[in-house]
Amino acid sequence: TIVLIQKGEVVAAATARYHPGTLFVEIELLAVHRLQQRQGYGILLLQRLVKLTHHSNCRWLLASADDTAVPFFVGCGFSRKITIPKRVYSKVLTTYENALLVQLDLSTLADDDKTHRLFATCATPDDYPFLAS
């Protein structure tokens, strides 16, 4: 779980869960307070999740996104095309009505990849001292 606190108030949070034996991490929650949206907080949290997941020997990051969140994830490099075999995730992932599964293939990211659109969109999480994890 990662929580973004500014001036003593929670402005955004993200929770992810590793599913042993599956090589993927599921983003269970990625939320930004409605008055704080479109200020880069969602991307910041997603960057941190990707960095943590990338170093855990997992191959994919999955999210079950509602219709309004899919463009955000796709804009950050996630794909609507799921390459993980359904038998791998179907037993452990919770699906939601009106939600679409999106994935980021972490094997396409290099440790120093600043050109990937997720990392090129804003500064690195280290530039934000108010990020607590």
Side-chain angles (χ1 to χ4, degrees), residues 1-2 13-17 26-30 49:
T1 299
I2 303 169
T15 299
R17 180 183 358 166
E26 173 189 8
I27 298 174
E28 295 181 314
L29 169 77
L30 180 63
L49 287 176

Side-chain angles (χ1 to χ4, degrees), residues 3 31 33 36 76 84-85 89-91 93 99 111-112 114 116:
V3 177
H33 188 283
Q36 302 294 331
C76 289
I84 305 169
Y89 66 83
S90 64
K91 294 179 182 174
L93 236 130
D111 283 338
D112 59 351
K114 301 295 183 202
H116 189 277

Side-chain angles (χ1 to χ4, degrees), residues 75-118:
C76 289
F78 280 68
S79 174
R80 294 178 186 166
K81 181 180 178 187
I82 307 302
T83 59
I84 305 169
K86 189 171 184 173
R87 62 177 162 68
V88 173
Y89 66 83
S90 64
K91 294 179 182 174
V92 294
L93 236 130
T94 305
T95 55
Y96 303 95
E97 190 174 332
N98 297 325
L100 183 66
L101 194 61
V102 293
Q103 80 170 30
L104 180 64
D105 187 342
L106 297 168
S107 69
T108 64
L109 296 176
D111 283 338
D112 59 351
D113 188 359
K114 301 295 183 202
T115 62
H116 189 277
R117 59 184 136 162
L118 178 59

Side-chain angles (χ1 to χ4, degrees), residues 4 6 11-12 32 36-37 39-46 130:
L4 189 99
Q6 190 173 37
V11 296
V32 178
Q36 302 294 331
Q37 292 178 357
Q39 295 184 40
Y41 297 128
I43 292 171
L44 182 66
L45 291 174
L46 196 51
F130 50 84

